[in-house]
Amino acid sequence: MNLERLARLRQGIYRLAAAGFARPRSDLGDLGVSSIEVLVGLDLFDYPFGPAWEEVARTLEAADPSQLASAHVELFDRGVGPDACPPFESAHRSEGRPGAEAALYAQLRRDYQTFGLQPATTAITPDHITVELEAMSWLCRIERQQREAGRSVAMTLARQQAFLRDHLVSWIPSFASQLRRADRHPFYSALAAALHAFTTHDHDLVGRLLELEQPEFQT
Amino acid sequence: MRVVALCRDHGTPSIAGVGHDEVVLIDDLCVRPAGLAALPEATEQLVVGLHRSEAAMGAVQSSLRRLGFDPMGVGIVELEGVGGDPHRLTVLVAGAAARSGAYPGSTPEQLKLAAPRALSRRSLLTLAAPTYIGAPAIEPLVCTAMDGCRVCTRACPVSALTWNGGSISYDKAACVSCGICVTVCPVGAAVNPEATPAAIEAEVGAIVTAADAPAGIRYVCRDGTAPVDQPGWYSVRVPCTSMLTVGWLLAPLLMGAAGVDALACGDGGCRLALDEHLRQRTVGARAILAAFGLPDRIGHLHPDDAFPRSTIPGGVFGHDGESRVIQHLAPDLLDGAAVRVAGGQTGMVRIDPETCTACSMCAVSCPTGALGSTQLADAVEISFDPSACTACGQCLAVCPEIEAGAISLEAGFDLRDWEQGRQVVRRATSRRCERCGGPIAPDPMLDRIATLLGDEHAGALSVMSTICLKCRGR
């Protein structure tokens, strides 16, 4: 297991997951056949989340773009209804506390700024799942570049650990469970299970990698 | 179809399998687990026989996933323990298959990266594939932490479990997956898919049934080396022998085993320094055997003299297993005195009426309901059912008068108390609200508060003692 390759693999999976929750285009865009080939080629079976991503590839290959688009609207855009699964961290964590949403947005914006990121659009909130997943992909990319350059990755790993712990892992299990219960389209059900398995595993993995680098950087 | 895939090397004996098994021999399976691709397509359940000392378990797990199997649900037979004996192999296959059949599945939270013995960059760089072990998860609908139970947090040797104001928080990075939380939980809320009580019971039962002579069951730590060439003994892997309870030591004997033993992982004892757990429970198990006039088969094998086999409804590997054993054996108790069981999961609670204020905190937090509290018209009664007590000690932890000796707990049982069932152990009159007539608090509790507050707060206490909280707010 090469650590640069591992960082590249994680970067790719986060990017793919973000694309999976974005509004699907008629030609499936980023989520097209090439992505399926990437998933299949990554040989993820060394990891417990591997079979779940194989299922994602299988359901994507069989997906009808118009049905996928319709399911996307029902699940993520409508906001109400029995199948609604809001893809925002604030919808799963703030529990209606006044000011919690604004505080979360502010915290996320600070985090993104620290990572060197600026949101490409204000059309979606900083706690949207695609934004958070893209941010993790970016951090994995930085880690990969640092490893390739022979530089310390301790700070980057610490940021990954904190972001996973404070954000993704805190709400993805609940979101994934809701999405699976909705069972609106097999692709989104598979993507939910795969993302849950992957982020849970990644949280553990980053902790182990950080132990290797510098114990004092553990947060 | 159930398939048994065996590594052909090192003189693996040929067997016919059990029942409708298909047995497949694969060259170099231990070092090249990709050879599992040769399995028949209709394989629904799989048992794999490997030489554990050679196999890279990460690669084995990876190959199993590729074939659509959950690695933790695949039965593993360690061929080192077979010694070329086909009958022995058949028995071990039966045990592994039974354990695999009882596998409950797992969530992503219940899997954990297994740390190499020496965690280093080199070890991570050179591992072909990582290995995963089971990790515990707390079932929130079963857990009684909301009522104050913190038994698992006290028992965890690495403080991976903490009580978080009504729920249990779990630090997976700190956890060593020893399994203690699984067996110490008084309500069975902690679940580690790698070693559930049901799966262990299934494996032990299958081994004892399949063996053609009374067999000994030896529990072996996940990281330990199972002894070879020990005729009559069959190894059952557990995360750590520190998780064994008195019930788990007795259970194989009651299922017909000729002996039971446990082997920790390190040459110098338990790698986690938890030897005392097993030692204490061994003493406890021997105390129960002696109390019922049963032969001591712990650490000893008597293949010519089978232990009396018993069928105990509900099994004995669950959280109330020890209680079930005692109830089943009750008619054979040699004398009526109380039996002390070191490390046991049955308990004798005593309440001192002089110092107990009848606050009922013990009853509120008792996870099994062994201690109960009933509010009567003008009194409160605390009752105790000894057969439901698992000696978890939660009552001691929450008692505000523990230093005065208001409540005490001793691990063990007194069948004379069991026969009486639930008994009132403390009764105290209650003060009633002057306005609504509802209960305020037991008199001893109010007296105790008066003592603590002193005379300067007598006026406030007088109000609190005569008007309930609800009426004071109006």
Side-chain angles (χ1 to χ4, degrees):
Chain A
M1 180 169 45
N2 176 286
L3 294 179
E4 288 90 356
R5 185 176 180 277
L6 186 59
R8 181 186 293 274
L9 182 150
R10 293 169 57 229
Q11 174 191 346
I13 292 179
Y14 277 114
R15 185 79 205 280
L16 211 52
F21 285 105
R23 189 183 307 281
R25 294 181 353 212
S26 59
D27 62 353
L28 289 180
D30 268 348
L31 220 54
V33 172
S34 60
S35 299
I36 298 171
E37 288 173 351
V38 165
L39 270 177
V40 171
L42 278 176
D43 194 12
L44 300 175
F45 289 104
D46 284 353
Y47 311 100
F49 54 78
W53 283 97
E54 192 196 34
E55 180 66 7
V56 169
R58 193 190 65 75
T59 54
L60 181 57
E61 199 166 22
D64 173 83
S66 63
Q67 288 180 354
L68 203 60
S70 169
H72 190 277
V73 169
E74 292 292 326
L75 289 167
F76 306 130
D77 286 353
R78 288 187 60 180
V80 293
D83 291 345
C85 300
F88 307 95
E89 180 178 339
S90 54
H92 295 268
R93 292 194 61 199
S94 55
E95 295 161 1
R97 280 175 288 135
E101 196 175 271
L104 176 63
Y105 291 175
Q107 182 189 12
L108 282 166
R109 288 194 185 102
R110 279 195 300 274
D111 287 342
Y112 297 150
Q113 199 169 31
T114 304
F115 303 161
L117 290 172
Q118 283 272 14
T121 173
T122 54
I124 54 174
T125 56
D127 68 332
H128 193 279
I129 190 169
T130 55
V131 181
E132 293 195 3
L133 291 172
E134 285 276 9
M136 270 304 297
S137 178
W138 174 256
L139 287 176
C140 292
R141 179 185 176 189
I142 293 177
E143 179 198 340
R144 175 178 61 81
Q145 291 171 338
Q146 287 172 333
R147 288 190 188 280
E148 287 170 354
R151 289 166 28 213
S152 169
V153 296
M155 178 62 76
T156 303
L157 287 175
R159 286 177 177 161
Q160 290 179 12
Q161 185 185 49
F163 196 80
L164 280 164
R165 179 197 62 220
D166 297 340
H167 299 293
L168 284 172
V169 173
S170 71
W171 70 283
I172 290 296
S174 162
F175 170 66
S177 175
Q178 204 175 13
L179 204 47
R180 285 198 298 272
R181 273 200 308 274
D183 199 21
R184 189 68 174 75
H185 190 289
F187 169 71
Y188 289 116
S189 300
L191 186 59
L195 185 61
H196 178 193
F198 176 64
T199 49
T200 303
H201 178 274
D202 214 42
H203 186 224
D204 293 347
L205 175 65
V206 171
R208 289 299 178 90
L209 294 175
L210 197 52
E211 272 179 34
L212 290 181
E213 294 296 324
Q214 283 181 262
E216 62 266 28
F217 267 96
Q218 281 202 34
T219 57
Chain B
M1 176 171 65
R2 187 166 77 193
V3 172
V4 180
L6 303 173
C7 179
R8 192 195 296 270
D9 306 330
H10 307 285
T12 301
S14 65
I15 61 170
V18 178
H20 301 287
D21 289 347
E22 176 166 339
V23 180
V24 176
L25 288 169
I26 302 175
D27 293 328
D28 297 332
L29 181 59
C30 307
V31 295
R32 276 189 285 276
L36 286 167
L39 293 178
E41 273 205 26
T43 304
E44 291 170 331
Q45 189 188 7
L46 178 63
V47 174
V48 177
L50 296 165
H51 295 84
R52 197 165 184 254
S53 54
E54 288 191 13
M57 288 311 295
V60 173
Q61 291 181 348
S62 178
S63 296
L64 289 171
R65 281 188 212 105
R66 194 180 307 278
L67 296 170
F69 292 100
D70 180 343
M72 208 172 294
V74 171
I76 299 289
V77 171
E78 298 174 35
L79 295 178
E80 289 94 332
V82 169
D85 179 350
H87 173 70
R88 191 173 174 78
L89 178 56
T90 301
V91 172
L92 289 172
V93 165
R99 182 167 178 164
S100 153
Y103 171 63
S106 65
T107 65
E109 286 78 9
Q110 289 174 308
L111 291 173
K112 183 177 160 65
L113 266 166
R117 286 295 176 98
L119 185 63
S120 66
R121 288 182 64 86
R122 178 172 293 280
S123 64
L124 264 192
L125 288 170
T126 56
L127 281 175
T131 304
Y132 296 86
I133 58 176
I138 308 294
E139 302 267 347
L141 296 179
V142 179
C143 178
T144 54
M146 196 161 37
D147 296 325
C149 181
R150 303 168 213 200
V151 173
C152 59
T153 67
R154 290 198 299 273
C156 179
V158 295
S159 302
L161 294 166
T162 50
W163 191 78
N164 195 15
S167 64
I168 302 295
S169 296
Y170 170 59
D171 180 355
K172 192 192 274 191
C175 176
V176 294
S177 286
C178 64
I180 286 179
C181 55
V182 172
T183 51
V184 81
C185 177
V187 294
V191 179
N192 184 333
E194 185 181 350
T196 63
I200 299 295
E201 181 163 356
E203 182 172 10
V204 170
I207 288 173
V208 169
T209 301
D212 61 2
I217 297 295
R218 174 177 282 132
Y219 296 107
V220 181
C221 276
R222 176 201 298 126
D223 294 332
T225 303
V228 297
D229 295 330
Q230 298 226 333
W233 288 103
Y234 293 88
S235 294
V236 173
R237 287 274 176 192
V238 292
C240 177
T241 51
S242 62
M243 74 180 289
L244 300 180
T245 64
V246 169
W248 282 38
L249 289 172
L250 296 175
L253 300 176
L254 294 168
M255 295 167 81
V260 66
D261 197 7
L263 192 65
C265 49
D267 291 334
C270 177
R271 195 166 50 86
L272 301 175
L274 297 171
D275 309 81
E276 180 59 22
H277 282 68
L278 177 59
R279 193 203 65 78
Q280 195 184 46
R281 284 155 182 78
T282 302
V283 169
R286 287 197 165 113
I288 290 182
L289 290 171
F292 290 102
L294 296 168
D296 179 2
R297 298 288 170 78
I298 299 175
H300 311 289
L301 187 67
H302 292 258
D304 300 323
D305 181 16
F307 203 89
R309 184 182 289 210
S310 310
T311 302
I312 299 180
V316 291
F317 281 85
H319 55 276
D320 57 353
E322 187 178 319
S323 172
R324 289 176 185 275
V325 169
I326 292 166
Q327 288 186 64
H328 178 78
L329 296 175
D332 298 327
L333 186 66
L334 292 184
D335 79 52
V339 179
R340 271 114 191 125
V341 182
Q345 288 182 310
T346 50
M348 299 178 282
V349 168
R350 301 280 180 255
I351 287 184
D352 178 6
E354 298 297 318
T355 51
C356 171
T357 60
C359 70
S360 299
M361 282 303 299
C362 54
V364 166
S365 66
C366 178
T368 65
L371 282 162
S373 175
T374 308
Q375 181 68 49
L376 305 176
D378 59 352
V380 62
E381 288 184 341
I382 296 174
S383 60
F384 178 61
D385 177 1
S387 68
C389 179
T390 60
C392 69
Q394 187 58 23
C395 49
L396 305 180
V398 301
C399 177
E401 303 300 328
I402 187 63
E403 287 184 13
I407 191 168
S408 63
L409 168 68
E410 194 171 11
F413 60 92
D414 187 331
L415 285 184
R416 292 168 297 188
D417 293 338
W418 284 38
E419 280 167 15
Q420 293 182 30
R422 182 173 292 277
Q423 297 290 305
V424 173
V425 292
R426 178 75 168 110
R427 189 176 195 280
T429 53
S430 281
R431 211 72 63 83
R432 289 264 157 189
C433 178
E434 285 179 353
R435 293 184 186 173
C436 68
I440 296 176
D443 281 310
M445 190 171 154
L446 293 169
D447 293 342
R448 178 67 177 139
I449 293 172
T451 304
L452 290 171
L453 290 179
D455 292 337
E456 62 181 296
H457 298 287
L461 187 61
S462 172
V463 172
M464 285 194 291
S465 302
T466 52
I467 302 173
C468 73
L469 190 62
K470 204 165 45 174
C471 291
R472 265 183 265 144
R474 294 199 193 120

